[in-house]
Amino acid sequence: MKPWHTTLLLAVVFVGLGSYLYLIELPTIEEEIIQEQEDQQILPFDDRDVVHLTVTSPTETVELQRDARNRWYIIHPIQGPADNQIVHRLLRAITIGKIKRILQPKSSTLEEFQLAPPHLTMKLKTHEHEETLMLGSVDPIYSGIYAKRGGEKSILLTTLAVADFRKTSLATFRQKNIFQFDRLRVTQFRLEHLGTDFLLTQVPSAHGLSGDWGFERPIKGPADTTAIN
């Protein structure tokens, strides 16, 4: 091989290696540093501190409030008890979510990440803080949701999962229990079926853990406690 061929080949390899470092390796290292520094909670408070929640989708806005006994109620667009388990699960997902990466507006737009308008906007209030969180598209690599906090320009790639926010309508938040009481406190119930009147009463158990059930009518005798429970 001629000397100038060798020099040219080395120059091409050098340029290629430099381009790789500049375009791929260095940005990756920088992203890893940013990710390590920003591996923090999305919101600066605990889910148990939230006392007011507003969830806005493209079709509706649902407003909820927690009372002194940690029970959640819907106050808009209707008034009534909320499904505490659903609300707690949603708040828990938000407050344990982490930031994986921060994107600056100069290299991205809200429309690109489906944040204008967002898929979902949540306003959370504690006694000391108030925060707005907007949720956009899903990252195809990390499967996390892009988000933006109110008042900030940065776009956040989070660890939030789509499954936690797929159902956030009024029907989702409404209390679905038919009766609002603890079943373990029931001591008697009556059932009418096909003209027969059944009356069952709970009596103290010999084991002292829970009561045993017995028939008062149409016959007198023990009942299947497991089936009744």
Side-chain angles (χ1 to χ4, degrees), residues 19 56-57 63-64 66 84 94 97-98 124 146 152 155 164 174-175 184 189:
S19 299
T56 302
S57 69
E63 192 172 352
L64 304 103
R66 179 169 63 87
N84 285 301
I94 297 172
K98 296 290 195 294
L124 305 95
Y146 286 103
E152 296 184 5
I155 296 174
D164 294 324
R174 293 186 69 171
Q175 174 60 259
L184 297 178
F189 75 88

Side-chain angles (χ1 to χ4, degrees), residues 32-41 98-102 149 156-157:
E32 289 176 352
I33 294 174
I34 293 175
Q35 178 177 339
E36 182 179 352
Q37 291 176 342
E38 299 299 337
D39 188 16
Q40 58 180 305
Q41 285 184 256
K98 296 290 195 294
I99 300 171
K100 294 185 66 69
R101 186 174 301 166
I102 294 180
R149 291 182 291 213
L156 312 175
L157 174 57

Side-chain angles (χ1 to χ4, degrees), residues 199-201 203 212-216 219-226 228:
L199 180 63
L200 297 103
T201 302
V203 297
D212 291 326
W213 286 91
F215 282 99
E216 296 292 333
I219 60 173
K220 282 273 191 180
D224 188 334
T225 299
T226 301
I228 294 173

Side-chain angles (χ1 to χ4, degrees), residues 65-91:
Q65 188 164 305
R66 179 169 63 87
D67 67 8
R69 298 176 61 185
N70 295 322
R71 297 174 301 185
W72 282 94
Y73 290 88
I74 301 172
I75 58 176
H76 177 83
I78 62 172
Q79 294 184 349
D83 189 325
N84 285 301
Q85 185 176 2
I86 294 294
V87 179
H88 289 313
R89 187 184 305 161
L90 178 69
L91 293 176

Side-chain angles (χ1 to χ4, degrees), residues 2 7 29 63 192:
K2 295 180 180 181
T7 303
I29 294 174
E63 192 172 352
E192 295 183 17

Side-chain angles (χ1 to χ4, degrees), residues 1 29 53 69 76 80 117 119 123 155 170 185 197 215:
M1 181 179 290
I29 294 174
L53 172 66
R69 298 176 61 185
H76 177 83
H119 288 303
K123 295 182 179 180
I155 296 174
L170 175 62
R185 294 178 177 271
D197 184 15
F215 282 99

Side-chain angles (χ1 to χ4, degrees), residues 103-215:
L103 306 177
Q104 299 303 325
K106 62 181 180 181
S107 60
S108 58
T109 62
L110 296 179
E111 290 81 5
E112 180 182 350
F113 296 96
Q114 300 179 21
L115 287 165
H119 288 303
L120 208 65
T121 300
M122 289 173 289
K123 295 182 179 180
L124 305 95
K125 295 181 182 179
T126 69
H127 292 299
E128 293 81 22
H129 297 90
E130 180 175 347
E131 190 67 72
T132 298
L133 185 67
M134 295 175 285
L135 302 183
S137 59
V138 179
D139 183 87
I141 299 177
Y142 294 102
S143 299
I145 299 177
Y146 286 103
K148 181 179 179 296
R149 291 182 291 213
E152 296 184 5
K153 294 182 179 180
S154 301
I155 296 174
L156 312 175
L157 174 57
T158 70
T159 61
L160 299 177
V162 174
D164 294 324
F165 305 95
R166 182 176 291 114
K167 296 180 179 181
T168 49
S169 65
L170 175 62
T172 305
F173 290 119
R174 293 186 69 171
Q175 174 60 259
K176 301 168 185 63
N177 293 342
I178 299 175
F179 298 113
Q180 303 299 321
F181 57 78
D182 186 354
R183 69 175 183 84
L184 297 178
R185 294 178 177 271
V186 177
T187 58
Q188 186 181 82
F189 75 88
R190 178 181 176 186
L191 172 67
E192 295 183 17
H193 179 64
L194 300 177
T196 303
D197 184 15
F198 298 88
L199 180 63
L200 297 103
T201 302
Q202 189 181 49
V203 297
S205 172
H207 304 290
L209 297 177
S210 60
D212 291 326
W213 286 91
F215 282 99

